[in-house]
Amino acid sequence: MDDVPPHRDSGSPLVGRAAESGLLDTVIERLGRGAPAVVDITGAAGIGKSRLMTEFALRARRRGVTVLRGRAAEYERHLPFHPFADAFADLHPRRPPVPDLLDALSGFLRGAGGEPSAPGSGPATADRFGLHRSVAALLARLGRADGLVVALDDVHWADPASLELLDHLVRHPVPGPVVLVVARRDRQTPTALGAALARGADTEAVLRIGLAPLGERECVEGLAPDLPPARAAQLYAAGEGNPLYFLSLVQAHREDTAREHASAAPSPAPASSAEAGATGGTGGIGELPAGLAALLWDELAPLTPDQHRTLEVIAVLGDHAVPSVVRGVTGRTGAEFDDDLAALTGRDLVRPGPGGRTVLRHPVLRTLVHESTAVRRRVEIHRAAAVELARRGAPPVERARHVERSVTTWDPRAYAVLREAAAQTEGSAPTSCAHWLGAALRLLPDTEERGPERRDLMLRRARALGVAGGLRESRDLLHQVISTAGPGESGVRTAAVLLCAKTERHLGRYPEAIALLRRELRGRPSPSDRVAIGLELSSSAPHNASYPQMRDEVARTLADARALGDERGEAGALAVAAFGEAYEGDVAAASAYAAQAAGLLDGLPDDDLTALCEPLGRLGWAEAFLGRFVDAERHADRGLGIARRSGQIYLLPLLLLCKAHVRIQTCRLDSARELADEAEDIARGIGSGELLAFVLANKAQVRVASSAPGDAEALAAAEEAVAAMGPSDNWRASMAWCMLGYAALTGGDPHRALDALLRAGGADLRGLQPSMRPLLSELLVTAALFTGDVESASGWAERARREADELGLPVQRASALRSAAQLALHRGEAGRAAELFAEAVAECARAGAVFWEARSLLLAAPATAAAGSGARGAAMWRQGHRLATAGGAGLLVGLAEMTRPPALREDSAPPRLASLTAREREVAGLAAEGLTNQEIATRLYLSPRTVETHLSRVFRKAEVSTRAALAALMARS
């Protein structure tokens, strides 16, 4: 790719920073081969972050790497994806070889900068998390040939949509030779971005470069070698080692010296305003030392009034400061304007920017000019810009910023622009959507006549706030709608009540959600509203109220829906009933309800199911509990498609995790990990601690099954789930504690496993999900036998048998059989254990539960061999190992290594290593030499987490579970 305009990657020579430059050179050299995915350059304003980023860009280009540069802007914080769009502005004219992705993201890429976008352009998807993945895919493909650097400056000013995208890219690094470089001021960085970068630094996926003040010698010799030493030392001390401040002081000194020579004065002139400010002026800008404003004002003093007004327009317009728009706003003729712009460029106050824009030399200078422009003058500029952009056909999202800042009284046209801007950003940038709706509400007269319209806007704003993470603010706004809705606004009121109940659920406030819905039912809603409220009320089970407590409510809702001939309501009620009964372990009732619900839902078109995505998810979970894995995944997939298209982001985790759960059972662990990761992204974006805890518990289950025994990441996910759940005592809390027990047990800590499992279920296990008790009891049996508590293990095994018999589900019966087999082995009854394990294999195979089939086979192999059937035991081991390896079940691959029959321990050692990639072989070799993960990470310039991932894959492919076994295998091969 050709270089971007020279001004963006040129300027004063890089002074000092040898150590930092060396780090960046290493990043470029190892791009795609273990370099950090993100470089985080931090420091105070003017310290040299942008200059170091420029140097990095220059060095990367010299090596043929594509570089895209963008900058966040202080006054454009509600333009979604502003710094990314700024970076991609250089990409458009070059038509890179990814036309499909560029077409899909065209609205996003044109979101800012350059000439106004075509009318109607905007983000191409209603699913902002899908947009994140699409952007990552685009970056991966752009970097595929020669590598890619995306450098974003001033990200402390980034808009919320960009911050969310940055968070995604930090937590899910783009594969291949791609590195993201961000520059920011520490103290002004939003907490969420700082936390994401800190997490990445902890795992060494992020390289943090903190810039300190320059030393006196390198500062003076590099930036002003001609100054007399005494004067240079004085200016350095005043500048506090800040290069920008030092250069400004040097410039002021030279201008004073020139004036002295010109006037031939016999004595030095009085100190300039710049130097006076240097020793303690009236305050600084942002984080700059006090006095820099005075220095910059000295630069502006020679400007003519017209030049100064043009500079004000450029500062206020920001991303819209292309010469043609600036000319239209200033009202100057072509020749006059060109002369003013040439003068400003000649003084290096403005420079050519990306997308044909004109930009001020430094953001600090823009801040100074913007803040010193009179408020009335700024309003005039914004008003003229709004008119000019409208004349050019710019989309509402580009005009809204200027409209908001120039219109304060009722104006129907301005109001329409703000509403349209909100609609344009609703799916991809909900924070911006909420902002524009808030601006529209401020314009809309607060009169009785406008009341319904205001409440409709408030409802839309509450919905946007909810999906953007502002749950409490959304709840407060919904309460206003509910309390002020008139008798004729039942539709808006009911919608607000339902949304408020969902919001309360996400906040973990289930009693409040139930009370709100029951109060609404006492108000005698319409029959159709009664069904909708009943469905939402039923959804509180089993989170807070037990399903048996809600059974009558579900029955009433089902009867109401049938009386109305409401197929959608009926299907929703049946799905809730199927989930509740499956949870409680009433398999016959759950099966009947699930069959009826599926019959109705499968016959309805997608458009009719927009309001039924949550029931689709509940049906999928019910079918998963019942072992109907194909139906469960089918319904989860359909729900996901509808939820994405309709923007119901908050429902995606429920559906994604249902699908992930099915893929655990059917042993497709690689895709299960991806689904759990996506669910986590969404839960963090929504800001619901309750939802996040549920997601993390499921993520822990996926991690345990897919990783080698004792994987630290699995245990960390379970621990975070328990911490996120807090003191709650409901279904999701018990699940989080169960996963902590599962992770602890596979990590070799049976005592902690017992404590966690009994914390989840209590001594009588009644706190555990009824339909899953046999599976969880198996963990208790295993942990108890490890600790030598045979009596407790026997009791739990017997409980598992009784409950599995009551359920009649193959997977649960197989679990009870494995528990009994463990006890038989403990008693030395290998033949009996082999029979029980074989029965478990048959039960799992009948259900299509491949993960549990593989586990049963691997446990059966040594027992079968010990019972005298060595050949059969070896065959069972091979089959179990094949299923585990094909499904990416690292836990079972580790189990296979522990249970490998003696006759199979020496065969096919070299072929087991043949499938390793070059990087995996490199990591395996160092691990076999005895290096720790940290030592390997340091040697290969990787993060420890990346090393863990590589080792997990090595163990799986090599069919070993310990470093010692890996070392032996490497030696043999």
Side-chain angles (χ1 to χ4, degrees):
M1 177 177 172
D2 297 334
D3 284 351
V4 295
H7 72 279
R8 301 189 78 188
D9 288 339
S10 60
S12 58
L14 180 66
V15 174
R17 311 300 186 197
E20 293 86 349
S21 297
L23 287 173
L24 295 178
D25 281 339
T26 303
V27 171
I28 298 171
E29 289 164 5
R30 297 197 65 86
L31 202 62
R33 295 182 295 109
V38 180
V39 176
D40 177 25
I41 303 174
T42 68
I47 202 68
K49 301 183 299 296
S50 300
R51 185 62 192 86
L52 186 63
M53 180 178 278
T54 292
E55 187 67 21
F56 184 46
L58 286 169
R59 296 183 184 197
R61 284 198 174 96
R62 291 190 193 113
R63 290 170 169 81
V65 176
T66 298
V67 178
L68 302 177
R69 293 197 62 180
R71 183 190 293 273
E74 185 176 7
Y75 304 104
E76 283 77 42
R77 297 191 198 187
H78 293 292
L79 288 179
F81 305 108
H82 183 271
F84 286 93
D86 192 23
F88 281 116
D90 294 314
L91 190 60
H92 297 165
R94 294 167 170 77
R95 300 184 181 278
V98 284
D100 52 339
L101 275 173
L102 278 178
D103 288 345
L105 298 172
S106 60
F108 157 67
L109 295 173
R110 288 199 301 265
E115 291 289 344
S117 307
S121 67
T125 175
D127 175 5
R128 69 189 195 272
F129 302 100
L131 182 97
H132 298 167
R133 295 189 298 277
S134 295
V135 172
L138 173 61
L139 297 180
R141 290 177 64 176
L142 288 173
R144 189 173 295 168
D146 302 310
L148 174 68
V149 170
V150 180
L152 304 178
D153 208 349
D154 291 331
V155 297
H156 51 276
W157 284 327
D159 59 275
S162 293
L163 291 174
E164 201 170 57
L165 177 53
L166 277 169
D167 180 76
H168 175 86
L169 296 175
V170 170
R171 287 190 295 109
H172 303 290
V174 177
V178 178
V179 64
L180 175 67
V181 187
V182 298
R184 62 188 177 90
R185 302 178 193 171
D186 285 300
R187 287 186 287 173
Q188 295 180 16
T189 298
T191 303
L193 175 60
L197 291 168
R199 286 195 302 268
D202 288 343
T203 62
E204 299 186 19
V206 174
L207 171 64
R208 190 176 191 275
I209 300 178
L211 298 186
L214 287 174
E216 180 176 350
R217 180 175 179 179
E218 59 187 359
C219 188
V220 172
E221 292 183 358
L223 298 176
D226 57 323
L227 284 183
R231 187 55 171 155
Q234 181 185 9
L235 296 181
Y236 173 81
E240 302 175 0
N242 186 299
L244 175 64
Y245 197 35
F246 178 74
L247 284 171
S248 298
L249 287 166
V250 169
Q251 182 178 345
H253 165 74
R254 287 174 173 156
E255 289 178 355
D256 285 349
T257 301
R259 283 195 293 270
E260 289 172 8
H261 287 307
S263 61
S267 60
S272 69
S273 60
E275 292 189 66
T279 57
T282 59
I285 303 171
E287 294 184 341
L288 287 181
L292 180 55
L295 292 169
L296 296 175
W297 272 117
D298 279 351
E299 284 194 75
L300 304 181
L303 299 181
T304 67
D306 285 334
Q307 290 168 356
H308 195 89
R309 283 192 287 271
T310 299
L311 195 66
E312 290 176 337
V313 170
I314 294 171
V316 171
L317 289 185
D319 61 300
H320 287 135
V322 293
S324 57
V325 175
V326 176
R327 182 186 296 113
V329 172
T330 60
R332 304 275 285 162
T333 65
E336 293 171 338
F337 174 77
D338 289 344
D339 290 343
D340 289 345
L341 194 59
L344 295 173
T345 303
R347 292 182 175 275
D348 196 27
L349 294 171
V350 301
R351 297 172 176 176
R357 297 203 306 268
T358 299
V359 300
L360 275 78
R361 181 183 70 229
H362 193 281
V364 170
L365 182 60
R366 184 188 177 194
T367 299
L368 175 74
V369 175
H370 187 283
E371 294 305 311
S372 64
T373 302
V375 173
R376 179 176 295 181
R377 169 70 173 148
R378 291 205 299 262
V379 169
E380 291 172 354
I381 293 171
H382 282 299
R383 182 181 295 115
V387 172
E388 180 67 16
L389 290 172
R391 186 182 69 80
R392 292 168 171 268
V397 74
E398 295 187 28
R399 295 154 53 196
R401 177 172 67 94
H402 302 293
V403 166
E404 178 195 12
R405 297 180 184 182
S406 61
V407 180
T408 57
T409 58
W410 172 241
D411 182 328
R413 288 178 296 182
Y415 173 70
V417 169
L418 293 170
R419 288 196 59 161
E420 291 167 13
Q424 190 176 353
T425 54
E426 183 176 9
S428 58
T431 302
S432 294
C433 172
H435 176 80
W436 301 131
L437 288 170
L441 280 166
R442 288 192 292 274
L443 281 187
L444 187 64
D446 190 1
T447 62
E448 184 176 350
E449 179 185 5
R450 295 279 187 177
E453 189 174 0
R454 288 189 65 82
R455 282 182 282 277
D456 178 66
L457 283 187
M458 291 165 71
L459 180 61
R460 287 179 56 194
R461 185 164 189 263
R463 188 174 291 114
L465 287 168
V467 298
L471 293 172
R472 286 174 175 80
E473 189 178 355
S474 174
R475 173 189 176 275
D476 293 344
L477 200 57
L478 290 166
H479 275 276
Q480 291 183 45
V481 175
I482 294 168
S483 62
T484 59
E489 298 177 78
S490 62
V492 168
R493 178 185 173 88
T494 300
V497 167
L498 294 175
L499 183 56
C500 189
K502 287 185 174 69
T503 303
E504 298 282 25
R505 279 202 278 139
H506 281 306
L507 289 168
R509 296 160 56 101
Y510 292 104
E512 288 83 352
I514 293 172
L516 174 67
L517 293 165
R518 291 202 183 282
R519 178 176 180 271
E520 197 65 18
L521 287 174
R522 289 195 298 271
R524 299 184 182 279
S526 68
S528 59
D529 287 346
R530 171 75 179 76
V531 171
I533 296 168
L535 283 176
E536 178 58 33
L537 182 58
S538 304
S539 296
S540 63
H543 307 294
N544 186 68
S546 69
Y547 180 74
Q549 290 176 294
M550 287 291 173
R551 199 175 265 127
D552 290 344
E553 184 60 50
V554 176
R556 278 193 295 271
T557 302
L558 180 57
D560 289 343
R562 284 173 169 166
L564 286 172
D566 179 1
E567 282 189 314
R568 288 176 296 180
E570 181 182 359
L574 288 167
V576 170
F579 176 76
E581 299 295 359
Y583 177 90
E584 291 297 326
D586 189 338
V587 173
S591 298
Y593 284 130
Q596 293 176 66
L600 284 173
L601 290 167
D602 291 347
L604 291 171
D606 282 358
D607 289 347
D608 286 355
L609 296 182
T610 301
L612 291 180
C613 286
E614 187 164 10
L616 266 171
R618 288 178 177 271
L619 175 60
W621 274 104
E623 290 167 329
F625 290 156
L626 295 170
R628 299 177 180 178
F629 300 128
V630 173
D631 289 337
E633 186 164 0
R634 177 168 60 85
H635 287 127
D637 272 332
R638 192 176 185 198
L640 281 168
I642 297 170
R644 291 190 199 281
R645 289 193 296 273
S646 57
Q648 298 181 77
I649 301 300
Y650 62 94
L651 292 177
L652 293 179
L654 172 75
L655 295 154
L656 288 165
L657 293 177
C658 174
K659 190 172 177 180
H661 178 77
V662 169
R663 295 200 168 187
I664 294 173
Q665 309 307 307
T666 54
C667 208
R668 292 174 286 168
L669 274 301
D670 289 340
S671 59
R673 287 179 72 113
E674 293 173 3
L675 293 163
D677 285 343
E678 184 181 352
E680 182 186 2
D681 289 344
I682 297 169
R684 292 189 186 278
I686 291 173
S688 166
E690 176 86 359
L691 178 61
L692 180 60
F694 174 65
V695 168
L696 290 172
N698 280 272
K699 174 185 174 181
Q701 184 184 14
V702 174
R703 289 291 189 269
V704 170
S706 62
S707 305
D711 180 71
E713 187 180 355
L715 184 61
E719 289 172 336
E720 187 179 359
V722 168
M725 187 58 67
S728 299
D729 186 19
N730 56 26
W731 167 48
R732 290 180 171 178
S734 69
M735 182 179 179
W737 281 102
C738 284
M739 290 307 107
L740 179 58
Y742 190 15
L745 182 60
T746 60
D749 191 346
H751 293 284
R752 188 181 188 189
L754 284 169
D755 288 344
L757 291 167
L758 293 177
R759 166 66 176 78
D764 61 356
L765 304 187
R766 290 298 167 189
L768 296 178
Q769 180 179 346
S771 64
M772 300 292 286
R773 281 183 195 145
L775 275 171
L776 299 171
S777 294
E778 182 184 358
L779 299 180
L780 286 166
V781 170
T782 305
L785 288 175
F786 268 121
T787 63
D789 187 355
V790 180
E791 182 180 354
S792 293
S794 298
W796 284 318
E798 176 58 23
R799 180 189 292 270
R801 185 196 63 77
R802 290 198 309 268
E803 297 199 0
D805 286 345
E806 290 176 8
L807 291 167
L809 295 172
V811 174
Q812 306 298 336
R813 176 164 166 72
S815 184
L817 289 166
R818 287 194 301 270
S819 293
Q822 288 188 68
L823 286 167
L825 277 177
H826 182 79
R827 292 191 296 264
E829 300 170 0
R832 177 59 179 156
E835 291 174 4
L836 292 167
F837 279 132
E839 286 185 58
V841 170
E843 292 282 0
C844 294
R846 180 161 64 90
V850 179
F851 180 88
W852 300 110
E853 180 186 359
R855 176 177 170 80
S856 301
L857 283 164
L858 293 170
L859 291 173
T864 303
S869 299
R872 186 181 179 213
M876 296 177 87
W877 185 90
R878 288 193 184 94
Q879 173 70 353
H881 179 263
R882 183 185 65 78
L883 294 175
T885 303
L891 179 66
L892 299 185
V893 172
L895 175 62
E897 184 62 26
M898 300 174 199
T899 60
R900 182 190 295 271
L904 300 178
R905 286 178 186 165
E906 298 297 328
D907 65 345
S908 68
R912 281 189 270 153
L913 298 177
S915 62
L916 299 184
T917 66
R919 172 62 85 187
E920 288 167 352
R921 186 174 289 275
E922 192 175 17
V923 170
L926 294 174
E929 291 175 17
L931 273 69
T932 66
N933 284 6
Q934 182 62 61
E935 290 168 339
I936 297 172
T938 302
R939 178 80 63 88
L940 299 181
Y941 210 84
L942 301 173
S943 72
R945 183 175 177 179
T946 301
V947 172
E948 288 177 8
T949 300
H950 282 310
L951 276 177
S952 176
R953 291 172 182 161
V954 167
F955 286 157
R956 187 177 74 201
K957 292 179 180 180
E959 303 170 12
V960 297
S961 60
T962 66
R963 289 172 181 255
L966 176 63
L969 181 63
M970 296 285 288
R972 290 200 306 272
S973 62

